[in-house]
Amino acid sequence: MPLNIDWQQILLHLLNFAILFCVLFFLLYNPIKKFMKKREDYYKNIDDEANKKLSDAEELKSSYENKLKASDEEIAEKQKAAYDSFSKEIDEQRAEAEKEAESIIESARKKSLKEKEDIISGAQTEIAEIAAAMADKIVKGNTSDTYDEFLTDAEKDEK
């Protein structure tokens, strides 16, 4: 034996190493490998569920955004309808007020024309009475005195 190498000892060590390797492989490596596979599958399932929930949440968000847009459009339509109704009501009230104003003006015109006619007829009656009184005084007395009294009465009426 050169270099003092014992082949039998080397083979026994190799056999011990092989047995130890096989025992450790079956007792430790396979269970750890199975545990790591379960753990990987568990976290992969959690990740898949999270992605699914995220996509569901995004779909829900987009549906709510669409509903919000639709409700905004509906509100705008209702506001427009209310504004149109309001402006129509205002126009109707304005037209009614204009008709009422015209009727008030027309009645005031009629009333003023009647008052004018009454004043004119009253003035004509007064003029006729004055003329009759003047004619009576002329017939009964002196014309110059009568004319002076007429002017005096007229001056009093003007004041």
Side-chain angles (χ1 to χ4, degrees), residues 97-111:
E98 287 174 358
K99 286 180 183 178
E100 187 176 336
E102 287 176 9
S103 67
I104 290 171
I105 291 170
E106 187 63 32
S107 66
R109 259 191 214 130
K110 289 179 182 178
K111 188 175 180 181

Side-chain angles (χ1 to χ4, degrees), residues 14 23 30 44 46 48 54 95 100 104 109 122 131-132 138 143:
L14 281 177
V23 168
N30 278 341
K44 186 177 180 182
I46 289 176
D48 291 341
L54 181 63
E100 187 176 336
I104 290 171
R109 259 191 214 130
I138 290 175
T143 52

Side-chain angles (χ1 to χ4, degrees), residues 63-129:
S63 70
Y64 282 139
E65 287 174 351
N66 291 336
K67 286 180 183 180
L68 187 60
K69 287 179 185 177
S71 65
D72 286 342
E73 291 173 0
E74 184 179 342
I75 288 170
E77 289 174 7
K78 286 185 178 183
Q79 284 178 340
K80 184 180 178 187
Y83 178 76
D84 291 342
S85 172
F86 182 66
S87 61
K88 183 179 179 182
E89 183 72 27
I90 287 174
D91 291 341
E92 289 174 0
Q93 288 181 357
R94 184 176 291 137
E96 188 177 313
E98 287 174 358
K99 286 180 183 178
E100 187 176 336
E102 287 176 9
S103 67
I104 290 171
I105 291 170
E106 187 63 32
S107 66
R109 259 191 214 130
K110 289 179 182 178
K111 188 175 180 181
S112 66
L113 286 175
K114 177 142 177 50
E115 287 178 5
K116 180 181 175 184
E117 290 172 2
D118 290 344
I119 290 171
I120 290 172
S121 68
Q124 287 175 350
T125 306
E126 287 180 20
I127 291 171
E129 288 175 0

Side-chain angles (χ1 to χ4, degrees), residues 1-10:
M1 293 227 177
L3 297 173
N4 207 8
I5 298 178
D6 187 11
W7 289 103
Q8 188 178 12
Q9 284 291 326
I10 292 176

Side-chain angles (χ1 to χ4, degrees), residues 10-26:
I10 292 176
L11 287 177
L12 277 175
H13 284 298
L14 281 177
L15 180 64
N16 282 337
F17 180 76
I19 292 172
L20 181 64
F21 179 79
C22 289
V23 168
L24 289 177
F25 181 81
F26 289 113

Side-chain angles (χ1 to χ4, degrees), residues 145-156:
D145 292 335
T146 309
Y147 184 69
D148 288 338
E149 286 179 23
F150 175 72
L151 290 178
T152 305
D153 287 340
E155 285 177 3
K156 287 180 186 176

